[in-house]
Structure formats: structure tokens, C-alpha cells
Amino acid sequence: MSDRLNILVVDDDLAICDLLETYLGESGYIVRTAHDADMARAIISDACPDAALIDVGLPGEDGLALARHLREHHDIAIVMISGAGETIDRIIGLEIGADDYIAKPFDPRELRARLKSVLRRYARVPVAGTAAVADTQRRIAFGTCEVDLDRRMLLDRDGNEIPITRAEFELLRVFAERPNRPLSRDQLFSLAQNRDWDPLDRSIDIRVARLRKKIEEDADHPRVIRTVRGIGYMFVPSPP
């Protein structure tokens, strides 16, 4: 993957598109622009960006609907842009899974700072361990347990193996690679099982419930794998 991140700007205001294409391009990003949801979908189907900046008031399919589609099907950063600046748009945008929100008119420097902030959340962070030592295993704490990603095992405080299924391990792996980020059920299903999620399929919820019983101090009040209302679940690592 190139060190230059790909940004998609979706706005029917051509001046805004030109401004951000130039400004973000000079800041080291690769920028593509779309003026409606159909153009955006075509670009995404060709090459999924690392982040999307989406205007709420798009013609035809609005920006909120496009953002909802992206959040359900792609693991990318999303920043909503609105000319209205109304609280209701902001609330809806964040509830459907947008990472941040900025109102027009905006300072390009502020938008770039917000973009950098959300992109940091989407960086694939290495888990505990170091590649410099060949026999060091990659382990990450999950509540009262540790996940050994190399040996595909869940271990208790004393290093004893706790039985888990392959599907449960894959779910833990997805969470470990994306800490502190709300993930929809569709995302979790796609990333853990490489196929689309059926809304009638409750297997993700069942696996999360089983994992909570194994890793949480109190499975009825989870602090490690938390429910994010209206979106899905989020892994919250314990402070070091």
C-alpha cells in the first residue's frame, strides 16, 4: 500500500471540490472528487479510498444515505460536511457511523486537521510484541485475558488456554486491529468471515455475547467489547 492516502471528496459544489483537491493534494494526499452519490459509488467500486469527505446536501441520494452505505460496506474514515450546520444533521451523521462533522464555511486547515485525526484511528496498529525478536509472540490484552495472534489462542491470566472457535478468534483479531473504533455488524461479518452480513443473521451478536463471558470481569456490564447504539460494537483496550 502506498504511503500516500487516498481521499474521496463528494460535493456538488465544484469550487469546494477544486479547493480540497488542490489543498489536500499539496498536503500529500491523493484526491479524487465526485459531485453526487452515483459518481462516488463508481469511484469506490474502482478503488476504495482511505477516507471520504461527504457533503450532506448532495443532489439525488443525499450524503447521509451515502455515508450509511459506506459505513455498512467499507472500513474507511468518514467526515461529513454540511452547509446548514444544523445540530440534527450532525447527530444523524454521527449516529450512522460518521467519524467527524464539519460545517461550511470551513477553514481548510481545520478540515485537514480533522481528517488527519480520524485517519489515525484507521491506521492498522501493530499489536503488542515486536518483529525484531523472532520468537516473540504478538499478544494483546482483552479484559481479563490475552489473545495470542500468532498461535490463534485466547489465554487467561495464568497463561492457560481458553477454548474458542475459529469464528470467535477471527472476531477478536478484527477488534484487535481496530481498537477504539465503532464497527457495524456488516463490517465485522465482512472482515471476520469475508462475506456479506444478512440482517437476519444474529451470529455476530451471539459470538460477542460468548466472548464477553470469557474476557469481561462482568459480562452483563461489558467494558472491553462495548455496544455502540445504532452501529454495532467497539473494542476498548484497558489503559497500559
Side-chain angles (χ1 to χ4, degrees), residues 20-36:
L20 293 180
E21 185 172 16
T22 300
Y23 184 76
L24 294 177
E26 291 174 349
S27 299
Y29 297 103
I30 299 171
V31 183
R32 301 181 73 180
T33 62
H35 309 312
D36 57 36

Side-chain angles (χ1 to χ4, degrees), residues 1 4-8 48-52 75-78 119 122:
M1 181 178 174
R4 297 183 66 194
L5 298 179
N6 289 270
I7 311 300
L8 173 62
C48 189
D50 297 289
D75 188 30
I76 66 172
I78 299 175
L119 281 168
Y122 283 75

